[in-house]
Amino acid sequence: MRRYRRLKLVVVGGVAVALLSTGGATADPRIPFLPPPENLTEPIQWANPAAKVPGGTGVTPQVTRIALGSFDRPADGVAAQRGVPSGVGPAERYRRAPKARTLTITRQPTAPFSAVGVTWRETGRIGTVTVAVRHHVPGGDWSAWRTADTGEADRDLAPGGGQRRGGADLVWTGRADGVQLAVTTTGGPAPHDIAADLIDPTDAPGDTAPTPPATVTESQPVGLRPFMPAILRRAAWGANEQQMNWRPQYAQYVKAVALHHTATGNDYRPEDVPKILRSIYQYQTVSRGWGDIGYNVLVDRFGRLWEGRSGGLSRPVVGAQAGGFNTGTAGVAMIGDFRTVNVPQVVQEATAQYTAWKLSLQQAIDPRGTVSLTGGGSTSRYPAGTTVTVPRVFPHQQTNPTECPGAKGLAALPWVRERAAALLGDLVKPEVVRTLLAVYRPTDGTVRLQGVPEPVFTSGPNEIPVAADYNGDGKADVATWSPTTGNWSMLLTGEGRRTVQWGLPGDVPAPADFTGDGTAELAVFRPATGVWYIKGVGEVQLGVPGDVPVPADYTGDGRAEAAIWRPSTGLWAIYALREFKVGAPGQLAAPADYDGNGTVDAATWSPATQQFTIDGQPAIRFGAGGSTARPVVAQYDGDGRADPAVFRDGRYDIRGAGGYDVGAQGDIPMPLS
């Protein structure tokens, strides 16, 4: 199971959970303390849990590495010369460049391969490097020369991070058994330790007919946001998760989308795409040492979207798409070379659909607008700490010195922005309520939506509403939990109904995204023992009878922490982090991100005084009191901050957004964010 920084979520081993008391909080004697903070470090190195699931080993490409040496000391069989040799095709544009030097090699036959990636060691800025490649077709002749320019080192180095290899853009050749290479350097320090990886992605049974996800229909209760487009997951292209060692990192939210092209070529078939993806993955993950593919999603020339970087499609995963400006941006890579070839309309449409969906998940964003990004350094155009203004959908070359996504890729951007805006509609306006207002009726087990006369879902009577995002599309799914059977009944967007058993009578459901992958894990808190059972994660000891489970992301690292609130004393305890007091007896827990900084704030609401008491923030008085009133705080509009809200007797009252009649007296609120 997973272990996170600061000792998050470890398997119970007969030792009671310890909590650190901070800020002068009053400790509950039934909860022991943690060791000093310096001992709260991750006990073992993180390992990608996706590698352990069925199919996680994926398909492993076969790689033949050819050492080329350096321009001063070429490897055996490699020729070095000044200038550019005759007949090298596109590389001849450097024939008259001052101080041009070239390494050349011919290998034929070789082991079979379908892609060529050239990398090098560099300790700082180097001059211009161009790689010319041609390949030998089995049983045929040599291809024409193709040129690959220096690819950006778009993965940002963490402080103290190791050296990663520079490299040219990957070249997709198709099936080949021989290679000729010419590596030319001009105008500046030359790279060292140059090597060419001949990548054979091998064949896999699923290459010919990957099954796309089901198409979502408008009749399902998924809210006002654009639907998540069909995206083929990593398993569909055979990602070997054992090769991935770049632990997912998360931004607060996605502010902008960066557009790429892979520059790998355009003459590929549908069945080639999984192989191309495995080749890119091998090249970026292993050859260049990034630890994973850099792009969040990729789109092939047939309009199919594919999951790239791991960590959750709906999450603001930090990728490697705009070195120096990766945090808070998402990367879309069009598979192909769009310097001189027009971007197909189906590629533009798929890119616009992904863009609209991705920008709909947090704050109100107009894809036709601009945004200020602070970053720089790495291989960007700007020094570290620079703030630049870019379009919300911007080309890679806007922040980095590259031609990407090519002249024709640039030409497609205005249409993509306008189409994404049309798909978003009124959601580009912050004042628009984007959360579906729903209620669960315990008398007959139905779920009802505002403005919809008939129930949209029926489970069983006297269940507990547990709406959450169970399939990772960024939208809360209708769901209930049965306290008699432990069954979770869910209506998953685009997938239909699903029933899963998890928990026992007497448990309290507590679903949350404990792993940070964008999907909520089924979880229950067992008051009798104080044990949490989190499906697919493990067990956690935290709490006593009478405690209320309040799991949420209290640290801003993208993963929910197990936490409890003790109504009798106002105590909050966040697993393995701290304990403190917010609120008082008789109040109700109402944790949410009230200030929009990406971390959930502990908070309570008093039915007697109608006051929200928020940890470290001014109190807010809002809502109608009474025994049936309860807080339903959520981000209802598009300003990025949770809105105080109260539900009573079939009415939602939302601060700043007004009142809405939904359901009837006795119904239980189920806002679908």
Side-chain angles (χ1 to χ4, degrees):
M1 61 172 293
R2 298 191 182 201
R3 302 194 183 197
Y4 299 135
R5 67 174 177 85
R6 305 180 76 183
L7 219 61
K8 288 189 181 179
L9 293 183
V10 295
V11 178
V12 171
V15 180
V17 164
L19 291 174
L20 178 65
S21 178
T22 61
T26 302
D28 188 303
R30 290 173 292 184
I31 301 181
F33 294 104
L34 281 174
E38 59 268 20
N39 294 329
L40 298 180
T41 55
E42 188 173 57
I44 60 173
Q45 184 178 3
W46 176 85
N48 180 18
K52 303 176 184 178
V53 303
T57 54
V59 181
T60 303
Q62 303 299 307
V63 179
T64 301
R65 172 159 286 195
I66 301 175
L68 303 182
S70 66
F71 291 91
D72 296 325
R73 291 188 175 183
D76 292 343
V78 179
Q81 69 177 69
R82 294 193 177 277
V84 180
S86 177
V88 177
E92 291 191 9
R93 68 179 185 265
Y94 295 115
R95 181 175 302 283
R96 297 182 181 178
K99 301 181 180 179
R101 293 188 291 170
T102 302
L103 295 176
T104 58
I105 186 173
T106 298
R107 288 281 181 90
Q108 204 275 326
T110 65
F113 66 93
S114 296
V116 179
V118 175
T119 65
W120 51 79
R121 178 172 57 87
E122 54 189 47
T123 56
R125 294 283 183 177
I126 63 172
T128 300
V129 178
T130 297
V131 175
V133 178
R134 69 173 181 167
H135 65 278
H136 187 267
V137 178
D141 206 345
W142 288 93
S143 70
W145 285 97
R146 290 175 55 190
T147 300
D149 293 327
T150 301
E152 290 295 303
D154 281 308
R155 176 168 180 190
D156 298 325
L157 280 174
Q163 180 69 34
R164 301 188 177 98
R165 289 178 68 84
D169 290 326
L170 185 72
V171 174
W172 174 257
T173 62
R175 203 67 173 165
D177 63 1
V179 66
Q180 289 186 332
L181 292 169
V183 182
T184 300
T185 179
T186 61
H192 301 275
D193 184 23
I194 304 168
D197 281 355
L198 310 183
I199 302 172
D200 176 12
T202 70
D203 296 325
D207 290 348
T208 56
T211 304
T215 302
V216 179
T217 63
E218 291 284 347
S219 62
Q220 300 194 35
V222 293
L224 300 175
R225 299 176 186 162
F227 295 104
M228 177 181 174
I231 302 176
L232 289 151
R233 303 302 177 101
R234 287 164 66 93
W237 53 265
N240 181 353
E241 300 293 359
Q242 292 183 339
Q243 293 181 295
M244 198 281 279
N245 60 15
W246 179 8
R247 178 175 176 170
Q249 302 161 297
Y250 300 96
Q252 183 178 343
Y253 69 101
V254 170
K255 304 175 183 179
V257 174
L259 185 67
H260 280 255
H261 71 166
T262 60
T264 46
N266 303 310
D267 55 347
Y268 55 85
R269 303 166 299 171
E271 59 268 28
D272 290 331
V273 176
K275 299 182 182 68
I276 293 173
L277 291 169
R278 290 198 294 273
S279 298
I280 295 173
Y281 179 64
Q282 175 74 30
Y283 185 56
Q284 294 185 349
T285 301
V286 180
S287 300
R288 299 203 62 184
W290 291 5
D292 197 2
I293 194 169
Y295 318 114
N296 296 103
V297 297
L298 301 95
V299 55
D300 63 32
R301 69 186 183 95
F302 312 104
R304 298 177 299 179
L305 285 160
W306 302 78
E307 180 183 17
R309 173 85 175 95
S310 64
L313 284 165
S314 66
R315 298 301 315 283
V317 183
V318 177
Q321 66 275 344
F325 296 92
N326 287 319
T327 301
T329 63
V332 181
M334 303 178 294
I335 302 175
D337 187 336
F338 297 106
R339 288 176 287 189
T340 60
V341 175
N342 289 327
V343 179
Q345 187 60 40
V346 290
V347 175
Q348 297 183 50
E349 175 66 23
T351 302
Q353 288 187 14
Y354 171 79
T355 297
W357 171 71
K358 193 69 175 178
L359 295 183
S360 77
L361 298 179
Q362 294 291 332
Q363 302 185 13
I365 293 175
D366 190 333
R368 299 165 298 187
T370 60
V371 63
S372 294
L373 302 176
T374 299
S378 186
T379 57
S380 74
R381 295 180 181 274
Y382 307 97
T386 302
T387 298
V388 298
T389 299
V390 301
R392 290 284 190 177
V393 185
F394 67 94
H396 185 203
Q397 64 180 244
Q398 183 104 24
T399 55
N400 299 78
T402 175
E403 288 185 90
C404 181
K408 298 300 185 179
L410 282 176
L413 276 171
W415 188 91
V416 169
R417 295 180 186 120
E418 290 292 336
R419 174 60 175 156
L423 292 168
L424 282 163
D426 284 343
L427 292 183
V428 301
K429 304 173 183 177
E431 66 272 15
V432 172
V433 174
R434 58 200 59 223
T435 296
L436 266 183
L437 306 181
V439 296
Y440 167 73
R441 184 159 296 169
T443 56
D444 61 6
T446 59
V447 175
R448 299 169 183 271
L449 292 178
Q450 179 196 15
V452 179
E454 298 299 324
V456 297
F457 184 73
T458 301
S459 55
N462 300 313
E463 297 192 347
I464 299 172
V466 284
D469 183 4
Y470 294 102
N471 63 354
D473 67 348
K475 298 175 175 66
D477 300 297
V478 171
T480 62
W481 182 78
S482 169
T484 57
T485 66
N487 283 340
W488 300 68
S489 300
M490 300 171 281
L491 179 60
L492 302 182
T493 306
E495 301 178 31
R497 188 176 184 124
R498 180 182 300 175
T499 301
V500 180
Q501 201 284 329
W502 189 257
L504 300 174
D507 290 348
V508 180
D513 181 9
F514 294 96
T515 61
D517 65 354
T519 62
E521 279 74 43
L522 307 186
V524 294
F525 167 62
R526 189 158 295 165
T529 60
V531 176
W532 295 56
Y533 296 91
I534 306 171
K535 187 174 178 61
V537 175
E539 303 171 9
V540 170
Q541 180 84 43
L542 175 66
V544 298
D547 289 349
V548 176
V550 284
D553 181 8
Y554 294 96
T555 63
D557 69 349
R559 303 165 178 88
E561 288 80 37
I564 59 94
W565 179 64
R566 186 158 296 165
S568 60
T569 63
L571 176 77
W572 292 71
I574 302 174
Y575 179 70
L577 291 176
R578 63 184 184 123
E579 63 178 53
F580 55 99
K581 281 193 173 182
V582 173
Q587 298 182 0
L588 303 173
D593 182 8
Y594 289 88
D595 55 8
N597 68 351
T599 63
V600 169
D601 308 297
T604 61
W605 180 74
S606 169
T609 65
Q610 295 84 58
Q611 178 171 289
F612 285 89
T613 301
I614 307 167
D615 186 28
Q617 298 178 42
I620 299 172
R621 185 180 177 86
F622 182 78
S627 61
T628 61
R630 62 186 66 194
V632 284
V633 181
Q635 184 178 306
Y636 288 93
D637 57 22
D639 68 356
R641 298 185 297 273
D643 303 293
V646 173
F647 179 86
R648 188 182 75 169
D649 298 336
R651 181 178 176 84
Y652 281 87
D653 285 311
I654 305 169
R655 187 171 186 248
Y660 302 86
D661 293 323
V662 186
Q665 187 173 7
D667 290 349
I668 301 173
M670 184 191 285
L672 302 173
S673 299

